[in-house]
Amino acid sequence: MRLFIACELPEELTEALATTSAELRECVRGRYCAPDTFHVTLAFLGEVPATRVEEIAQLMEGALAGTHAFTATLAELGHFGKSADATLWQGFADPSPFRRLSTAVRGALASADVPFESQTFRPHVTLMRRANLARAGQLPVPCVERGLVSRVTLFSSVLSPDGPTYTPLATVELA
Ligand code: ATP
Ligand code: MG
């Protein structure tokens, strides 16, 4: 199974991100992410045997026990990759609470020899993939909103040409 661990987002943030995404549609071509799939990936595990799911859910729960929910404020747009074929995202004013969660989760995975992508953590919400920014006009000023981040979920991901389907397998409610 293809697995990742991510923060889910409260309605206030999802709505603001969806508004920004709708404005982007006016000026950027690419593949838009559905608002009901918006999330902040903390750790990407990739293919893992289904027999390890229970263990991974417990590692996630242990790593986050006693961790508090926090208010996150949306910030600027940014992109990864080439401007003609980019992943376009919106970031946060203060990445540090997300970084603490990611460090805790990744530490627990590492201590149990569960492999994950160890690239530098840059908390973001992906709005578009395959975005052609080279041919885009002026990007809109993104909506900025605050909301309480209180859920971390282990998801499975099934890829398809119509976009990925994420299925929640286990969730931690932050204190
Ligand atoms: P698609 O791959 O069809 O564009 P997707 O990227 O949303 O869809 P997945 O590839 O399953 O679906 O990724 C799930 C989450 O993990 C996404 O937030 C994605 O950005 C992140 N992710 C995927 N691959 C990696 C990777 N190699 N390193 C870090 N994060 C990754
Ligand atoms: Mg992907």
Side-chain angles (χ1 to χ4, degrees):
M1 297 170 94
R2 185 179 177 93
L3 300 183
F4 66 103
I5 293 173
C7 288
E8 295 189 46
L9 297 174
E11 211 167 280
E12 301 91 299
L13 295 185
T14 298
E15 280 175 9
L17 291 156
T19 301
T20 301
S21 175
E23 289 176 15
L24 283 167
R25 277 179 191 270
E26 310 289 316
C27 57
V28 190
R29 280 178 183 275
R31 190 153 63 73
Y32 283 83
C33 300
D36 64 358
T37 68
F38 289 158
H39 64 272
V40 180
T41 300
L42 300 173
F44 180 77
L45 288 71
E47 282 300 323
V48 174
T51 50
R52 288 200 91 175
V53 167
E54 189 59 35
E55 175 196 0
I56 291 165
Q58 281 171 15
L59 288 167
M60 174 181 78
E61 283 158 19
L64 299 177
T67 304
H68 289 277
F70 59 94
T71 299
T73 303
L74 290 166
E76 79 295 338
L77 295 175
H79 73 274
F80 298 137
K82 298 183 194 129
S83 64
D85 185 6
T87 297
L88 178 63
W89 47 260
Q90 190 166 357
F92 293 91
D94 179 8
S96 55
F98 292 103
R99 185 159 290 127
R100 279 193 285 274
L101 296 181
S102 175
T103 299
V105 166
R106 291 178 179 206
L109 296 174
S111 69
D113 287 325
V114 177
F116 58 92
E117 286 290 332
S118 59
Q119 70 206 49
T120 310
F121 178 62
R122 306 250 325 254
H124 64 276
V125 183
T126 298
L127 299 179
M128 287 186 74
R129 299 182 193 282
R130 317 239 41 190
N132 191 339
L133 300 175
R135 283 171 165 258
Q138 181 82 32
L139 295 186
V141 175
C143 280
V144 160
E145 188 56 75
R146 291 153 53 89
L148 190 70
V149 175
S150 63
R151 288 168 68 83
V152 178
T153 296
L154 171 64
F155 287 100
S156 70
S157 171
V158 175
L159 302 181
S160 90
D162 299 332
T165 301
Y166 305 144
T167 304
L169 303 175
T171 294
V172 177
E173 298 276 357
L174 303 180

